[in-house]
Amino acid sequence: MKQDLIVILDLGSTENTVLAREIRALGVYSEIHPHDITMEELSAFKNVKGVILNGGENRIVDGQAVEIRQELYEFGCPMISIDYPQSKCKTTFSTLPTQEELRQFVFEECRAEANWNMKNFIEDQVELIRRQVGDRKVLLALSGGVDSSVVAAMLIKAIGKQLTCVHVNHGLMRKNESENVVTVFQDELHANLIYVDASERFLGKLENVADPEQKRKIIGGEFIRVFEEEARKLEGIDFLGQGTIYPDIIESGTKTAKMVKSHHNVGGLPEDLKFELVEPLKQLFKDEVRACGVELGLPHDMVYRQPFPGPGLGVRCLGAITRDRLEAVRESDAMLRDEFAKAGLDKKVWQYFTVVPDFKSVGMKHGARVFEYMVIIRAINTIDAMTATIEKVDWDVLETITNRILAEVKNVNRVCYDMSPKPPATIEFE
């Protein structure tokens, strides 16, 4: 690694990501690691300039206060602690350090250089990928979303034709999404692309499954099974590329942090996984992934396209998935994106989508009583996907979208707008 590194050890803080981002904003790379990291593991990192023991309200686990290994105090680089009563550090803080205090620690005490940038990050990852993969081959799950597209570009730069991309249509894609993926990656970027239509397979596995975590695990597990099947048709596939990013790992839970949700890249992998993983973006926040894509030369529209969860519309068709509600989500989402683009909101709003709950409400259509579904619109802004605010959409725009959905989407008689920030809500409903 060419970048200097500040290591944050998680001792129960709820603000690890805030601290990591503040350090990265100073131009210095930072990573979050478990509190029980060993001296050997810490020593294996290159260019460690300082360590921060970051305690907090979750430092009590199973009735006991978590602590670092005592040997780490002899690691030999500057160390400070935050809200960690057991600390033996000379410098301790009770709230996060101020920006000036953090700057002083990073640059004056640690003597770190401000060399964290995407050019250096890409060079490091290309080197690591080549070292990990050698002359073997990688199979990549290419959804066409931002994360998988950036991973594809990174892998192409590192190993070229050793990469095979597989796009799986799980029946939970947005309208015309699979067709667009094939057009862009196969026809325009000339990637080695395999297209698999597994929509019936996925929908069959998900029939009558209402629990969100179970849905995510089924979708994630089936994805891996499809890749295993495709790999058996090829020769020499030993690695699986994935677009796992930092919020995926953090929200899936650590030893001192409660799980928010299982991400298909993190919590849905089967124990008998046959591939070694290649995850070059797993230490990046979402805005950093986009910056990486720009540095790699990907088209602007691809890098800044709408974020889309791995389980797709499966977590926006709330509860047990039915085909009528799935179609209502797909059609209403397409209309929302179309009207946001017309209003110029596609360039302003970070993420926007629709969901359809698994219950109905009474309404009137053509002079008769109907009992149909509702569509909920969500539009939020965020930097790192860890917190989010609500976009205040113009009333006329919302009215246009509402009228169009009610007129054109089958089995829908009501449209609502979600006003919940993150936290306490999450970005997705499931």
Side-chain angles (χ1 to χ4, degrees), residues 205-278:
K205 290 278 186 179
L206 291 165
E207 189 173 359
N208 298 322
V209 177
D211 180 73
E213 283 299 299
Q214 190 178 357
K215 286 199 293 186
R216 286 179 178 273
K217 283 177 166 45
I218 288 173
I219 295 168
E222 280 305 297
F223 255 107
I224 301 302
R225 296 305 180 202
V226 172
F227 293 140
E228 286 180 334
E229 292 168 11
E230 293 304 318
R232 282 194 288 267
K233 301 174 186 176
L234 305 169
E235 293 184 359
I237 300 291
D238 295 310
F239 298 90
L240 176 65
Q242 286 203 140
T244 308
I245 64 175
Y246 223 5
D248 295 342
I249 295 172
I250 295 166
E251 289 192 338
S252 291
T254 63
K255 295 171 184 174
T256 58
K258 296 179 180 178
M259 183 180 71
V260 177
K261 59 186 174 184
S262 291
H263 287 262
H264 76 291
N265 290 337
V266 180
L269 299 176
E271 293 182 1
D272 60 341
L273 180 67
K274 298 297 191 296
F275 303 113
E276 182 178 339
L277 297 181
V278 180

Side-chain angles (χ1 to χ4, degrees), residues 378-409:
R378 185 151 174 78
I380 56 96
N381 287 310
T382 182
I383 294 176
D384 57 13
M386 301 305 296
T387 62
T389 58
I390 303 305
E391 174 65 22
K392 297 178 181 177
V393 180
D394 182 82
W395 187 262
D396 289 339
V397 175
L398 281 178
E399 189 173 35
T400 298
I401 296 168
T402 298
N403 291 338
R404 185 172 173 188
I405 289 174
L406 293 177
E408 300 179 38
V409 180

Side-chain angles (χ1 to χ4, degrees), residues 167-180:
H167 175 68
V168 178
N169 180 359
H170 51 26
L172 306 170
M173 304 295 289
R174 289 176 290 200
K175 190 172 184 178
N176 299 325
E177 188 116 44
S178 286
E179 293 85 347
N180 292 337

Side-chain angles (χ1 to χ4, degrees), residues 108-141:
E108 295 184 21
E109 295 185 41
C110 298
R111 302 292 182 185
E113 293 184 21
N115 53 14
W116 162 241
N117 57 64
M118 279 304 142
K119 182 178 180 180
N120 286 344
F121 174 80
I122 291 169
E123 289 179 2
D124 280 342
Q125 291 304 315
V126 166
E127 180 182 336
L128 290 171
I129 291 167
R130 289 172 178 169
R131 190 184 309 162
Q132 180 184 9
V133 175
D135 60 356
R136 291 177 288 176
K137 297 179 181 179
V138 180
L139 189 64
L140 173 67

Side-chain angles (χ1 to χ4, degrees), residues 67-85:
E67 296 187 48
I68 68 166
R69 299 173 187 271
Q70 296 302 302
E71 61 186 18
L72 295 189
Y73 288 110
E74 307 300 323
F75 182 66
C77 70
M79 184 179 293
I80 62 174
S81 68
I82 303 170
D83 194 13
Y84 178 42

Side-chain angles (χ1 to χ4, degrees), residues 134-171:
D135 60 356
R136 291 177 288 176
K137 297 179 181 179
V138 180
L139 189 64
L140 173 67
L142 180 58
S143 68
V146 177
D147 301 336
S148 67
S149 298
V150 175
V151 169
M154 181 86 78
L155 290 171
I156 289 170
K157 182 178 179 67
I159 58 172
K161 295 297 183 180
Q162 293 169 241
L163 172 67
T164 298
C165 298
V166 176
H167 175 68
V168 178
N169 180 359
H170 51 26

